[in-house]
Structures are given as structure tokens and as C-alpha cells.
Amino acid sequence: MLKFYYHPLSPIARRVWIALLEKEVPFEPVIVDLKDKQQFSAEYLALNPFHHVPAIVHGEVRLIESFAILDYLDKQFPKISLSPVEPAAFGKMRMVQMTVMNELSPKLVLFLAATESSPLDRKTVEHLETCLRFLQQTLGNTAYFGGNHINLADVIAGATVSLYARLGLSLEPYPLLECWHSRIIKRPAWQITRPEEPDFQQWKRYVQLQVKLHRRKLVKSAS
């Protein structure tokens, strides 16, 4: 059986977790406790020398990196496909995936670390607005980025946009995207993988602390 190494609070691992559930692929969950530094254990480093989650082991196949894992899952378990065959549709799917990875996800830490006394700078706000407008235009009036059925674009975008929304980003200025988001988060795979509020707040505080520590190191090294 496929082994899925993950942490339930990892936004990146959640992409794979959602896909496994949507595709109804049987798997053995293996939680890597990041708080206890299990990602640095010799056993896990043998799977992923870069000590991050997720990773999968399926027979002789060992894969890291969520995009590679998602592509493998869709090829290996084609009964419920999450990738279109038609070239233009496939290109659209990949475009949405890469836009989320390259443009939207990198701003997440800045968004999470922003406070009333230290809000997001205007350039970052405009960048996020551009991303959300682009996603809405690409979605159009369809139910999902995959049309009437979800595909891997919905998996990647859904995991990321839902996290932004939970952190307080309003989707109201983007009504088509807001309807899509409401539709996506009602699906069982999103409900199952959604962190409970105490765990989510703990993760949020941890990331905010790491940002503060990183900024202090930068200030100290510059002085």
C-alpha cells in the first residue's frame, strides 16, 4: 500500500492529502512530527534529504515534491482522473498550478505576519489582488478550474486560497472566485483535511514566531 508521509498542518502536504482522498486512493498515513524534529531523523532523511513534507513511497517508487507526487498519483491511479487530456485544458490546469505556486504562495508568510501596526506594504497587496483577479478571470463562470469537475488546478488553488481566506483575506471583491471557494471547501476531501481551530491557531503562532526570529537575525547580522 502507498505510504503518505505528511504533517496535518502542512499546507503543501495538504495538496497531496486532498488528491489522495479525491481520487479514492488507499494509503497508509505516516505523520512526520515537525515539532519533534522527526523530519531530521535518519529514517526520514533517507526518504527526503531536504527534510520537508510530503513524501510518498509506493513499492519501489519514492517521491518528494508535491507537484511530482500529484502527477504520479494521477498517472498511476487513473480511475478518477484529475488531469485533462486535451492540450489547451491541460495547459490551463498547469498555468493555474504554477501561478499559485510562483505568485500566490510566496506571499503567504508576509500576509500571515502582517499586523495592524505593521500592515502589508502596498506592492504586496497589489500583487495579491493581481493574482486573485487572474484566477477569477481564468475560472470564468465554470464551477471549477476543470470545468464541471475538479482537476489538479483546483487542488493546488483550493488548498492555497482556502488558507488565505481562513487567515482573513476577503474574496468578496472576486464573486466568481468566492463562489468557487465556497463550493470547494464543502467537498469531503477539504473537510477531512481542514485543521481544527486550536491546531490552526497553534500553527499560525508558530509561523509568526519564526518570521519574528528571522527578522531579528537579519537586523542583528546587519548591525
Side-chain angles (χ1 to χ4, degrees):
M1 180 180 290
L2 183 147
K3 286 188 177 182
F4 172 45
Y5 294 81
Y6 75 113
H7 189 280
L9 297 180
S10 165
I12 306 301
R14 191 186 184 201
R15 301 168 177 175
V16 176
W17 194 3
I18 287 171
L20 286 166
L21 295 173
E22 287 285 354
K23 290 178 66 62
E24 300 177 6
V25 175
F27 65 94
E28 177 186 342
V30 182
I31 293 180
V32 180
D33 194 330
L34 305 181
K35 185 177 180 181
D36 288 343
K37 308 296 183 181
Q38 287 184 2
Q39 69 272 31
F40 295 104
S41 68
E43 179 184 1
Y44 191 70
L45 288 174
L47 293 176
N48 186 348
F50 305 107
H51 54 77
H52 55 68
V53 290
I56 66 164
V57 174
H58 186 219
E60 297 299 317
V61 176
R62 179 203 69 175
L63 288 174
I64 63 173
E65 300 296 345
S66 63
F67 274 44
I69 295 171
L70 291 174
D71 285 342
Y72 172 79
L73 292 176
D74 220 38
K75 294 291 186 182
Q76 183 66 28
F77 303 98
K79 183 178 178 181
I80 300 177
S81 178
L82 296 179
S83 297
V85 175
E86 197 273 321
F90 187 89
K92 175 183 174 181
M93 179 193 77
R94 187 66 83 213
M95 177 180 69
V96 171
Q97 289 179 296
M98 300 306 292
T99 298
V100 172
M101 183 178 76
N102 294 328
E103 306 296 343
L104 193 59
S105 293
K107 304 299 182 184
L108 183 60
V109 171
L110 293 176
F111 185 84
L112 199 156
T115 62
E116 288 187 10
S117 59
S118 181
L120 281 177
D121 62 275
R122 188 60 203 167
K123 185 177 179 180
T124 301
V125 171
E126 290 175 351
H127 189 87
L128 288 174
E129 291 172 347
T130 299
C131 290
L132 295 173
R133 282 197 304 270
F134 178 78
L135 290 177
Q136 173 161 268
Q137 291 167 0
T138 304
L139 176 68
N141 290 306
T142 58
Y144 301 103
F145 286 102
N148 293 325
H149 306 282
I150 74 162
N151 66 21
L152 291 178
D154 295 282
V155 171
I156 297 294
T160 304
V161 173
S162 64
L163 181 54
Y164 268 104
R166 193 169 182 181
L167 290 169
L169 179 65
S170 175
L171 297 177
E172 190 174 351
Y174 317 95
L176 297 178
L177 197 63
E178 186 175 38
C179 289
W180 163 83
H181 175 253
S182 297
R183 192 176 297 116
I184 265 296
I185 61 174
K186 291 176 183 176
R187 297 180 68 88
W190 268 262
Q191 291 290 314
I192 291 170
T193 61
R194 185 180 189 272
E196 296 293 335
E197 190 60 27
D199 294 332
F200 181 77
Q201 291 302 324
Q202 183 182 19
W203 170 83
K204 180 179 175 181
R205 288 192 296 271
Y206 172 78
V207 175
Q208 289 172 332
L209 176 61
Q210 296 307 306
V211 172
K212 288 181 180 179
L213 292 175
H214 179 67
R215 288 174 175 172
R216 287 175 185 171
K217 286 181 180 179
L218 292 177
V219 171
K220 188 176 181 179
S221 64
S223 60

